[in-house]
Amino acid sequence: MKNVLFVGYGPSAVQAAKDLVGSLPADYRIVAITSNEGYWPPAALRAAVVPGWEDKPLACVDAAFPQDGRHVMLKMTNVVELRKNSVVVDKAHPDLGFEADEIPFEYCVLAMGSKYPYPCRPHPSSSFSQTLDDLRQTQSEVSRSQQILIIGGGPVGIEFAGEVASHYGKGTKEITLVHSRERLLDQSGWKEKLGRSLRGQLEGYGVRVVVRRKVVDAPEKTGRIEGGREFHLDNGEAIKADFVFLATGNAPNSDLVASFDSSVLNDSKHIKVNSAFQVEGYEHIFAMGDVTDVKEGKQYAHAKNHGSIVASNILALIQSPSASTASLKSYKPGSNLILVSVGPWGGAGQIFGFVPGAWFSALVKSRSLFVSDFKKLYNVA
């Protein structure tokens, strides 16, 4: 069997596999390698705060995987080395026909996503049950804490602040969000009105928002601090907290590629791909999703579209191995859009230049966090 190998099995990879499975020649199969079960970051923050939500961002990858006998899912497995025509994994799977730890491929799809502190991503190599336990533990820690410090005022920090404030109610907990930049969401492309709306909603819940300041002695990970302690801003101010949430540190999960060929990474460590999602210099290796240098927001709506393009191009190359990149399907980066929740009934966004507020955000995203789309993609009822 010739292998079309996936490294990572997040939403973009699931979409690509679904598009491939019905059209692959009989001598080809999909081999998917994933260190975790399916995970849905948009629902993870609520799952870490609100009891009863812990199962919402989780799905077993088996249900989303083609089950016609040919294809192979290697769960709880890590790729430790990428080679030109094979990968090395951290364990053999003799029960699935892989006696050795090296797996050859005809085509490889790199879909490792991005690195972000827990709970935006599960702890590495966590099982389904362990991730459930972790989220319940975080819910308990948040419940027992009174002074919550959130470091980072991007979408993740804003959404976590909104989840805690809306779930527990104004004045119940002392919540402080510290952001190093001039205003919330002040990156290029986002209107000032967007950050202003989100800040106003947070402050309406009693959240204290501090901008243009850094926490100089931040802890290494999110979690409860028994007894509390003081943290210091770069202006000397002290903030006491017994729970700290880190909303910084988002980065492409490209270490595997860096050790293979660092020349295919840009300055921000994203993988350089062409319009067909082929990795620069390697026509048989594709990359998609958050790990790529595609000039668009790193969002599920875009990544899902990547999957269909990659699947189409792999099929084209199987049918005509000498096909040029010019003959493959080309991807046009998606529009600049975002929706940021502030609890289940608030939020704001920017869509095609418009800045809708709480009512629209609640209707489209905040109440559901697109959980039904995630479950449908992974074939979970």
Side-chain angles (χ1 to χ4, degrees):
M1 297 291 289
K2 299 175 183 178
N3 296 327
V4 178
L5 189 141
F6 284 81
V7 182
Y9 208 62
S12 62
V14 173
Q15 185 63 51
K18 285 187 172 184
D19 288 355
L20 279 171
V21 66
S23 302
L24 281 175
D27 58 340
Y28 277 81
R29 67 178 173 186
I30 296 168
V31 176
I33 304 173
T34 179
S35 61
N36 295 102
E37 304 283 5
Y39 198 68
W40 185 235
L45 300 176
R46 189 168 297 166
V49 174
V50 181
W53 266 78
E54 59 271 13
D55 65 330
K56 307 298 185 188
L58 286 168
C60 181
V61 290
D62 289 341
F65 194 71
Q67 300 291 326
D68 69 354
R70 279 193 284 166
H71 310 293
V72 181
M73 167 65 71
L74 305 182
K75 294 191 298 184
M76 306 301 291
T77 302
N78 294 285
V79 175
V80 295
E81 184 181 351
L82 173 64
R83 298 175 179 173
K84 186 175 181 180
N85 296 107
S86 65
V87 297
V88 178
V89 294
D90 60 355
K91 66 182 80 171
H93 290 269
D95 56 321
L96 297 173
F98 295 95
E99 300 287 345
D101 60 1
E102 184 174 3
I103 303 172
F105 60 76
E106 299 295 315
Y107 298 95
C108 179
V109 181
L110 304 174
M112 295 89 69
S114 55
K115 294 183 287 187
Y116 212 104
Y118 168 86
C120 291
R121 302 292 184 272
H123 290 121
S125 301
S126 295
S127 65
F128 194 102
S129 61
Q130 182 59 56
T131 303
L132 278 175
D133 288 344
D134 289 342
L135 291 169
R136 289 173 180 142
Q137 175 65 27
T138 304
Q139 292 170 6
S140 174
E141 291 182 1
V142 172
S143 176
R144 291 183 286 119
S145 301
Q146 293 301 313
Q147 297 167 308
I148 295 175
L149 173 61
I150 298 164
I151 303 174
V156 170
I158 294 167
E159 292 200 350
F160 186 77
E163 293 299 339
V164 177
S166 64
H167 180 65
Y168 287 98
K170 183 177 181 179
T172 305
K173 296 184 183 295
E174 184 179 321
I175 305 168
T176 304
L177 184 151
V178 178
H179 186 46
S180 63
R181 305 184 70 133
E182 187 75 20
R183 55 183 172 84
L184 300 184
L185 294 187
D186 69 344
Q187 291 89 345
S188 175
W190 303 128
K191 293 188 173 183
E192 184 176 348
K193 180 181 178 182
L194 173 60
R196 193 166 60 242
S197 174
L198 292 166
R199 178 171 181 169
Q201 291 180 54
L202 289 177
E203 291 176 337
Y205 274 120
V207 176
R208 181 189 175 207
V209 178
V210 179
V211 296
R212 300 189 298 277
R213 290 289 174 257
K214 293 183 179 181
V215 179
V216 298
D217 50 359
E220 294 184 355
K221 62 181 181 180
T222 287
R224 179 167 165 77
I225 300 165
E226 294 296 338
R229 56 160 281 203
E230 285 190 341
F231 294 89
H232 300 87
L233 306 186
D234 53 4
N235 65 347
E237 180 184 350
I239 298 174
K240 189 172 181 181
D242 54 6
F243 186 95
V244 177
F245 182 85
L246 300 180
T248 60
N250 187 19
N253 192 16
S254 59
D255 294 348
L256 183 69
V257 179
S259 59
F260 165 64
D261 183 353
S262 61
S263 71
V264 304
L265 301 181
N266 66 11
D267 291 342
S268 62
K269 307 303 181 184
H270 289 88
I271 301 173
K272 301 177 199 173
V273 294
N274 61 20
S275 62
F277 292 108
Q278 292 166 304
V279 175
E280 188 175 89
Y282 300 92
E283 295 183 350
H284 67 303
I285 301 178
F286 293 77
M288 61 184 180
D290 287 6
V291 77
T292 69
D293 70 342
V294 177
K295 302 299 187 292
E296 64 185 6
K298 305 304 182 185
Q299 296 162 330
Y300 162 69
H302 299 322
K304 184 179 179 181
N305 294 333
H306 296 188
S308 295
I309 297 287
V310 168
S312 175
N313 288 337
I314 288 175
L315 291 171
L317 288 173
I318 289 173
Q319 294 164 4
S320 180
S322 61
S324 67
T325 296
S327 67
L328 299 178
K329 267 193 177 179
S330 183
Y331 178 76
K332 182 180 178 181
S335 302
N336 207 19
L337 53 86
I338 194 170
L339 279 174
V340 181
S341 298
V342 178
W345 301 103
Q350 185 172 314
I351 300 176
F352 307 119
F354 296 98
V355 181
W359 179 86
F360 180 86
S361 299
L363 178 68
V364 175
K365 175 187 176 181
S366 303
R367 292 174 63 186
S368 68
L369 299 177
F370 305 124
V371 165
S372 61
D373 292 337
F374 166 64
K375 299 291 188 181
K376 182 178 179 180
L377 182 66
Y378 278 78
N379 297 324
V380 176

